């Protein structure tokens, strides 16, 4: 395997895996005050387009990485939307 | 331009741009309680490796997108590290 391929896989694994601890923290604490709604909206759309791009190219690595990231991003975004629009403020 | 290329550029623009509102929110409010330290540590490392990958491939799109994302991710991570380890708790 080429060094560039190893670096690419390492990069993809890290950026994909990074959303797991954020999703766990958000689901556990339900604290989304510090999370940007714009960020998670744009990011979730972006990851969806990465997924479409992977399907176009028939590239399994892009498809798998972005399916995982998409599911994690959607779970974080859902908590943020719920807290922003449906939850009664306690203060 | 191929449809797949347009989808790829759209995906890259959205996922890169998404970190701008998060960085602005974090720098303005300094509220990092809902941000995962593990996420931003892994993510920042991952984006760094994407940058190295882009340099290996000589791909300017990957280099530019990941340089921007790296700077935004580092600014968010810095606020989180400061709040986690150096700031006296007010409560």
């Amino acid at each position: 395997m080429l060094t560039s391929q190893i670096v690419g896989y390492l990069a993809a694994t890290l950026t994909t895996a990074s959303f797991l601890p954020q999703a766990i923290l958000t689901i556990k604490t339900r604290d989304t005050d510090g999370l940007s709604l714009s960020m998670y909206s744009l990011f979730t759309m972006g990851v969806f387009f990465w997924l479409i791009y992977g399907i176009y190219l028939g590239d399994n690595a892009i498809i798998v990485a972005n399916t995982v990231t998409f599911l994690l991003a959607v779970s974080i975004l859902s908590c943020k939307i719920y807290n922003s629009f449906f939850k009664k403020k306690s203060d």
Side-chain angles (χ1 to χ4, degrees), chain A residues 6-7 17 20 27 30 33 35-36 39 43 48-49 64 69 72 78 87 90:
Chain A
I6 296 170
V7 172
L20 185 62
I27 291 167
R30 304 274 162 175
D33 289 346
L35 300 182
S36 160
M39 176 202 152
F43 186 79
F48 180 75
F49 282 112
V64 171
T69 311
L72 295 171
S78 305
K87 195 186 162 200
S90 55

Side-chain angles (χ1 to χ4, degrees), chain A residues 2 4 6 8 10 17 21-24 30-31 33 36 50 52-53 63-65 69 72 76 82 90:
Chain A
L2 292 169
S4 66
I6 296 170
L10 189 60
Q22 180 63 63
I24 291 171
R30 304 274 162 175
D31 177 2
D33 289 346
S36 160
W50 276 125
I52 303 293
Y53 183 67
I63 294 170
V64 171
T69 311
L72 295 171
I76 298 165
Y82 176 79
S90 55

Side-chain angles (χ1 to χ4, degrees), chain A residues 23-82:
Chain A
I24 291 171
L25 180 76
T26 303
I27 291 167
K28 209 156 62 178
T29 66
R30 304 274 162 175
D31 177 2
T32 61
D33 289 346
L35 300 182
S36 160
L37 179 60
S38 308
M39 176 202 152
Y40 277 96
S41 305
L42 296 172
F43 186 79
T44 304
M45 274 195 288
V47 172
F48 180 75
F49 282 112
W50 276 125
L51 184 54
I52 303 293
Y53 183 67
I55 293 167
Y56 260 118
L57 300 189
D59 184 317
N60 283 331
I62 298 179
I63 294 170
V64 171
N66 285 287
T67 301
V68 174
T69 311
F70 182 75
L71 294 174
L72 295 171
V74 162
S75 67
I76 298 165
L77 180 61
S78 305
C79 288
K80 179 66 188 176
I81 289 173
Y82 176 79

